[in-house]
Amino acid sequence: MANIQSHSPAAKVGKVITYSVLLVFSCFAVVPLLWLFMNSFKTTQEFMIDKLSLPGQTEGYSATLVNYIDAWTRGKFPTLIMNSVIYTAGTVIMVEVLAIMAGFGFAKLRCKATKVLHGSFVIGILLTIQCIMVPLFLLVNAIGLYNSRLGVLIPYIGISLPMAVYLATEYIKSIPDALVESARIDGASYFGILARIIAPMAKPVAVTVAILTVSSIWNEFMLINILTSDDALKSLPVGINQFAGALTTDYGKQFASLVIGLIPMLAFYLVFRKEITKGVAAGAVKG
Amino acid sequence: MKGGVTKRREHYVTYWVLVLPAFLIYILVMAFPTIYSVVLSLSDYRGGNLFTSDINFVGFDSYKEVIDDQYFYVALKNNLLLVFISVFGQIPLGFIFAYLLSRDMVKHKDFFQTMIYLPSVISTVVIGLLWKSFFSPNGAFVQLIRVFNPSYEAALSSYPFGQVLFVTLWMYVGNYLIIFMANLQKIDSSIIEAAKIDGASEMQVLWHIILPALSGVIVTASILAISGSLKAFDLIYVMTGGGPANRTTVLSIFMYDKAFKGAPNYPVANAISTIMVVISFTLIGITKFIESRVGGRE
């Protein structure tokens, strides 16, 4: 059936149109990024002469790495990347531990409080950073955590928990009760069951939670922008905005910093493409 | 019997040990600040120690101040435009791409999906600065537009929010592509094949089988698009900062400016965020209402 159809002229025309539409839009999605990449190898002078050519095409200029060398040191990229890694890794580890613990409690240990507690996490999925931004800033200031790593990490863990707890609970619910019950009869403690049975089985949801948390925390800008002012504590997005955003006339260096800024997420995406796709789809189950 | 009692105690102690740490952090970071935000919006708190300073209840004064502010309407209008472009731009485009990719009409699905989704994974700050430079007077847009028609150059400065709308559309289409792809794969392909054997055209399959099956997903996607567009901050903060002359401001930038630019006006900032929540829930409610009327035909 499929074969017959794909040989008819109408199907061929349809195929050509489909491919053209997809190709045009894929190029449209990627070309701006290529444009950025291309121009990061030009000096600002060369860029000003021609903004659309390949680097080194303009007479008297050649492709150069000088923008990268300058941006890397002057933009303090080693510190920024290190900070972003600390914030992201710290948040992911804590969120995984807390969400799987809570998910196990909600899904397998019966308690009247679950309805209220679990329900409040589900409502939390709908809360936004905007509603907590000002009070959180005042609170962090009042308890003396302004300009500290902890003052960033605790809010990050808190904003990531609602979705993580929801996903972990749903997943652990699908693990058969009989596994927990038979282990109980054999005399295992709940914590033993969590460590030896539930946690290993919850690996798929742990991956989803990790993917969602990494992509949101690594790119987070709004909160950390108001919770820190110390250069030594800034994350990549804040640092890039301050360094590259200020280079309004030095395009070469600005583009190089932007490329440095996008490489970590690009690499993360290309390595975990399948898992990211799954995670995004899973994160959209609840609106 | 005694064993039963200790077992029950172990059960409850374990439950709270498991659940409480996550719950306390959640309360501290999200639930309490959300409620406190409403409290502050009704107060006259202008700064100073949160615990010891004198905070008075002044009613809805701050809300009045917001409603009397002309920029509130500029921000609101821009936010609604973002909602519009997300719901009627990103979602249909994302659906069309997902549909084309999932109906086995093309090879290299993965390749196309990866390319179209790429902009969504990159940090909004990087994206914002990239497009800011692209659209700047020294950027490539001007050079590009001169090739076609130099008179279009003026369009950029006469309607600065256009570039924000464009970049928003460009950036997030991939998100909806992924959501629709995942759910299109769940549709039982034997139903579609059966319909085709009975002589149904591609359009009939789309209209009578695929769209009804996806009505719930379309609602979820709309809710994501609505709440996402009302929250928009990073991209605009980086690209235009709300300028020139507040013409590209949105509610969250308007709120940020009240709280963190110049003399802080916390009550007004919190009034704005409360209004944002109300608008968000209203729009989501309307979406759900429309769904209950027309959705789920099968």
Side-chain angles (χ1 to χ4, degrees):
Chain A
M1 193 73 191
N3 267 332
I4 299 166
Q5 276 200 341
S6 63
H7 284 294
S8 75
K12 264 189 188 153
V13 172
K15 220 170 193 180
V16 170
I17 295 173
T18 308
Y19 270 106
S20 325
V21 168
L22 286 171
L23 261 177
V24 166
F25 276 91
S26 314
C27 290
F28 200 60
V30 178
V31 161
L33 300 172
L34 290 176
W35 175 78
L36 171 73
F37 189 66
M38 185 178 91
N39 283 300
S40 68
F41 297 105
K42 290 182 191 170
T43 58
T44 301
Q45 290 95 314
E46 191 190 349
F47 173 79
M48 292 307 239
I49 294 167
D50 193 342
K51 290 123 189 167
L52 298 170
S53 69
L54 288 169
Q57 292 291 98
T58 313
E59 255 198 53
Y61 294 97
S62 55
T64 171
L65 281 174
V66 88
N67 294 325
Y68 283 92
I69 298 164
D70 264 17
W72 181 258
T73 46
R74 288 206 13 227
K76 303 197 181 74
F77 276 94
T79 317
L80 297 177
I81 291 172
M82 182 55 115
N83 285 337
S84 275
V85 168
I86 292 172
Y87 296 133
T88 309
T91 307
V92 169
I93 293 167
M94 286 309 292
V95 165
E96 292 281 6
V97 171
L98 292 172
I100 290 190
M101 273 168 60
F104 177 52
F106 287 143
K108 294 294 176 219
L109 278 78
R110 220 154 288 171
C111 181
K112 277 183 192 143
T114 296
K115 219 175 170 183
V116 175
L117 299 185
H118 183 257
S120 71
F121 278 109
V122 174
I123 293 171
I125 298 176
L126 286 171
L127 298 179
T128 60
I129 293 185
Q130 274 78 6
C131 352
I132 60 167
M133 191 170 166
V134 174
L136 198 64
F137 167 77
L138 298 171
L139 209 61
V140 164
N141 262 301
I143 54 179
L145 284 179
Y146 181 75
N147 254 340
S148 71
R149 281 196 205 287
L150 213 55
V152 175
L153 273 170
I154 296 172
Y156 275 3
I157 295 165
I159 60 171
S160 311
L161 273 175
M163 180 58 92
V165 168
Y166 171 76
L167 290 174
T169 308
E170 289 302 301
Y171 191 86
I172 295 170
K173 263 187 201 163
S174 72
I175 296 174
D177 284 346
L179 278 176
V180 178
E181 279 156 20
S182 64
R184 284 296 283 171
I185 292 164
D186 292 344
S189 73
Y190 280 116
F191 289 104
I193 294 170
L194 175 61
R196 276 187 292 275
I197 300 174
I198 300 292
M201 286 182 79
K203 220 172 178 181
V205 78
V207 171
T208 304
V209 167
I211 296 281
L212 289 175
T213 311
V214 170
S215 7
S216 65
I217 297 303
W218 185 275
N219 292 336
E220 205 286 324
F221 174 75
M222 209 176 171
L223 273 182
I224 192 164
N225 190 38
I226 54 158
L227 293 179
T228 57
S229 59
D230 190 343
D231 272 343
L233 293 171
K234 277 175 186 147
S235 69
L236 203 51
V238 180
I240 288 182
N241 184 43
Q242 281 178 353
F243 176 67
L247 297 169
T248 43
T249 49
D250 196 346
Y251 289 99
K253 224 169 283 153
Q254 188 195 35
F255 293 153
S257 357
L258 294 183
V259 172
I260 299 172
L262 69 78
I263 282 175
M265 273 320 270
L266 187 66
F268 176 71
Y269 176 52
L270 293 178
V271 174
F272 296 106
R273 220 157 27 106
K274 290 245 155 64
E275 291 82 358
I276 291 174
T277 312
K278 242 188 256 162
V280 171
V285 287
K286 204 81 205 172
Chain B
M1 205 59 201
K2 223 177 181 181
V5 170
T6 49
K7 262 205 160 161
R8 275 217 352 237
R9 262 193 70 182
E10 190 208 342
H11 181 104
Y12 283 113
V13 170
T14 315
Y15 178 86
W16 288 108
V17 170
L18 287 171
V19 167
L20 217 49
F23 189 68
L24 287 178
I25 293 183
Y26 167 71
I27 291 292
L28 185 74
V29 174
M30 297 213 71
F32 175 69
T34 303
I35 295 162
Y36 205 62
S37 168
V38 180
V39 173
L40 283 177
S41 75
L42 300 168
S43 78
D44 64 351
Y45 175 75
R46 288 297 181 107
N49 190 308
L50 199 57
F51 302 122
T52 54
S53 55
D54 208 18
I55 302 179
N56 300 304
F57 177 80
V58 294
F60 289 92
D61 287 7
S62 303
Y63 291 85
K64 255 183 235 139
E65 209 179 320
V66 173
I67 288 170
D68 288 340
D69 194 323
Q70 53 160 325
Y71 293 121
F72 170 69
Y73 298 96
V74 178
L76 186 63
K77 192 184 127 214
N78 284 337
N79 262 126
L80 293 178
L81 279 169
L82 277 177
V83 169
F84 184 82
I85 200 121
S86 306
V87 174
F88 298 104
Q90 288 166 7
I91 292 178
L93 277 176
F95 175 77
I96 290 168
F97 296 145
Y99 176 72
L100 292 178
L101 287 177
S102 66
R103 293 289 293 116
D104 286 330
M105 287 186 278
V106 284
K107 286 176 197 154
H108 315 297
K109 266 190 229 175
D110 246 26
F111 169 78
F112 288 120
Q113 190 183 325
T114 306
M115 299 257 280
I116 296 176
Y117 186 63
L118 191 59
S120 324
V121 284
I122 293 164
S123 149
T124 330
V125 171
V126 171
I127 298 285
L129 288 171
L130 156 64
W131 284 104
K132 186 186 181 186
S133 290
F134 186 85
F135 283 123
S136 84
N138 291 321
F141 179 76
V142 172
Q143 190 183 339
L144 203 62
I145 218 73
R146 276 182 194 144
V147 177
F148 299 103
N149 186 346
S151 64
Y152 288 156
E153 224 181 296
L156 199 62
S157 46
S158 67
Y159 189 59
F161 200 65
Q163 47 181 300
V164 173
L165 291 174
F166 168 78
V167 177
T168 308
L169 186 63
W170 174 80
M171 193 172 173
Y172 294 110
V173 165
N175 236 332
Y176 299 97
L177 164 76
I178 302 262
I179 292 169
F180 285 121
M181 280 285 270
N183 288 286
L184 277 166
Q185 280 158 9
K186 285 184 199 155
I187 298 175
D188 188 354
S189 59
S190 64
I191 299 174
I192 296 171
E193 267 159 42
K196 287 207 138 181
I197 289 166
D198 291 344
S201 70
E202 195 71 40
M203 278 317 277
Q204 284 171 322
V205 169
L206 176 64
W207 192 249
H208 292 290
I209 300 176
I210 295 178
L211 280 177
L214 287 182
S215 71
V217 182
I218 295 171
V219 171
T220 307
S222 307
I223 291 171
L224 282 176
I226 292 167
S227 59
S229 325
L230 287 173
K231 290 192 293 203
F233 178 84
D234 300 5
L235 188 75
I236 301 163
Y237 181 85
V238 170
M239 266 182 85
T240 67
N246 284 329
R247 284 171 66 196
T248 61
T249 196
V250 286
L251 292 172
S252 40
I253 302 260
F254 185 48
M255 177 198 77
Y256 176 91
D257 287 349
K258 292 286 181 201
F260 301 105
K261 251 189 186 170
N265 193 336
Y266 299 124
V268 164
N270 284 300
I272 296 167
S273 68
T274 309
I275 292 172
M276 286 171 73
V277 176
V278 172
I279 295 172
S280 176
F281 279 40
T282 310
L283 287 179
I284 291 171
I286 293 172
T287 313
K288 293 232 164 182
F289 176 74
I290 293 173
E291 185 210 12
S292 70
R293 279 298 167 90
V294 299
R297 278 169 293 184
E298 296 303 288

